[in-house]
PDB file of all heavy atoms in Angstrom:
ATOM      1  N   SER A  53      -7.857 -14.415  15.833  1.00 85.00           N
ATOM      2  CA  SER A  53      -8.056 -15.858  15.957  1.00 85.00           C
ATOM      3  C   SER A  53      -7.124 -16.633  15.030  1.00 85.00           C
ATOM      4  O   SER A  53      -7.086 -17.854  15.069  1.00 85.00           O
ATOM      5  CB  SER A  53      -9.515 -16.194  15.625  1.00 85.00           C
ATOM      6  OG  SER A  53      -9.861 -15.670  14.355  1.00 85.00           O
ATOM      7  N   GLY A  54      -6.399 -15.923  14.198  1.00 86.00           N
ATOM      8  CA  GLY A  54      -5.553 -16.575  13.199  1.00 86.00           C
ATOM      9  C   GLY A  54      -6.385 -16.994  12.013  1.00 86.00           C
ATOM     10  O   GLY A  54      -7.578 -17.298  12.152  1.00 86.00           O
ATOM     11  N   ASN A  55      -5.797 -16.975  10.846  1.00 92.00           N
ATOM     12  CA  ASN A  55      -6.550 -17.386   9.672  1.00 92.00           C
ATOM     13  C   ASN A  55      -5.625 -18.020   8.648  1.00 92.00           C
ATOM     14  O   ASN A  55      -4.424 -17.757   8.622  1.00 92.00           O
ATOM     15  CB  ASN A  55      -7.355 -16.239   9.063  1.00 92.00           C
ATOM     16  CG  ASN A  55      -6.589 -14.957   8.902  1.00 92.00           C
ATOM     17  OD1 ASN A  55      -6.024 -14.420   9.852  1.00 92.00           O
ATOM     18  ND2 ASN A  55      -6.557 -14.449   7.681  1.00 92.00           N
ATOM     19  N   GLU A  56      -6.228 -18.863   7.861  1.00 95.00           N
ATOM     20  CA  GLU A  56      -5.471 -19.669   6.905  1.00 95.00           C
ATOM     21  C   GLU A  56      -6.110 -19.544   5.536  1.00 95.00           C
ATOM     22  O   GLU A  56      -7.341 -19.473   5.402  1.00 95.00           O
ATOM     23  CB  GLU A  56      -5.510 -21.129   7.366  1.00 95.00           C
ATOM     24  CG  GLU A  56      -4.620 -22.069   6.597  1.00 95.00           C
ATOM     25  CD  GLU A  56      -4.593 -23.471   7.225  1.00 95.00           C
ATOM     26  OE1 GLU A  56      -4.337 -23.574   8.437  1.00 95.00           O
ATOM     27  OE2 GLU A  56      -4.868 -24.426   6.492  1.00 95.00           O
ATOM     28  N   ASP A  57      -5.270 -19.466   4.515  1.00 94.00           N
ATOM     29  CA  ASP A  57      -5.755 -19.451   3.140  1.00 94.00           C
ATOM     30  C   ASP A  57      -4.823 -20.336   2.320  1.00 94.00           C
ATOM     31  O   ASP A  57      -3.749 -19.888   1.917  1.00 94.00           O
ATOM     32  CB  ASP A  57      -5.774 -18.015   2.601  1.00 94.00           C
ATOM     33  CG  ASP A  57      -6.333 -17.919   1.200  1.00 94.00           C
ATOM     34  OD1 ASP A  57      -6.756 -18.960   0.638  1.00 94.00           O
ATOM     35  OD2 ASP A  57      -6.365 -16.808   0.643  1.00 94.00           O
ATOM     36  N   GLY A  58      -5.220 -21.570   2.167  1.00 97.00           N
ATOM     37  CA  GLY A  58      -4.371 -22.508   1.421  1.00 97.00           C
ATOM     38  C   GLY A  58      -3.053 -22.733   2.142  1.00 97.00           C
ATOM     39  O   GLY A  58      -3.035 -23.158   3.300  1.00 97.00           O
ATOM     40  N   ARG A  59      -1.969 -22.401   1.482  1.00 98.00           N
ATOM     41  CA  ARG A  59      -0.633 -22.625   2.073  1.00 98.00           C
ATOM     42  C   ARG A  59      -0.198 -21.501   3.015  1.00 98.00           C
ATOM     43  O   ARG A  59       0.876 -21.573   3.602  1.00 98.00           O
ATOM     44  CB  ARG A  59       0.391 -22.746   0.937  1.00 98.00           C
ATOM     45  CG  ARG A  59       0.151 -23.923   0.003  1.00 98.00           C
ATOM     46  CD  ARG A  59       1.224 -23.991  -1.083  1.00 98.00           C
ATOM     47  NE  ARG A  59       1.162 -22.873  -2.021  1.00 98.00           N
ATOM     48  CZ  ARG A  59       2.065 -21.895  -2.082  1.00 98.00           C
ATOM     49  NH1 ARG A  59       3.103 -21.900  -1.260  1.00 98.00           N
ATOM     50  NH2 ARG A  59       1.943 -20.938  -2.987  1.00 98.00           N
ATOM     51  N   PHE A  60      -1.008 -20.496   3.156  1.00 98.00           N
ATOM     52  CA  PHE A  60      -0.658 -19.310   3.932  1.00 98.00           C
ATOM     53  C   PHE A  60      -1.456 -19.264   5.239  1.00 98.00           C
ATOM     54  O   PHE A  60      -2.671 -19.443   5.238  1.00 98.00           O
ATOM     55  CB  PHE A  60      -0.952 -18.044   3.121  1.00 98.00           C
ATOM     56  CG  PHE A  60      -0.174 -17.949   1.840  1.00 98.00           C
ATOM     57  CD1 PHE A  60      -0.629 -18.569   0.683  1.00 98.00           C
ATOM     58  CD2 PHE A  60       1.014 -17.248   1.786  1.00 98.00           C
ATOM     59  CE1 PHE A  60       0.087 -18.494  -0.503  1.00 98.00           C
ATOM     60  CE2 PHE A  60       1.741 -17.163   0.603  1.00 98.00           C
ATOM     61  CZ  PHE A  60       1.277 -17.791  -0.540  1.00 98.00           C
ATOM     62  N   THR A  61      -0.731 -19.004   6.325  1.00 97.00           N
ATOM     63  CA  THR A  61      -1.366 -18.854   7.639  1.00 97.00           C
ATOM     64  C   THR A  61      -0.870 -17.569   8.280  1.00 97.00           C
ATOM     65  O   THR A  61       0.339 -17.326   8.332  1.00 97.00           O
ATOM     66  CB  THR A  61      -1.028 -20.042   8.563  1.00 97.00           C
ATOM     67  OG1 THR A  61      -1.462 -21.259   7.954  1.00 97.00           O
ATOM     68  CG2 THR A  61      -1.696 -19.875   9.916  1.00 97.00           C
TER      69      THR A  61
END
Side-chain angles (χ1 to χ4, degrees):
Chain A
S53 54
N55 47 305
E56 188 173 308
D57 183 2
R59 298 181 293 110
F60 299 85
T61 302

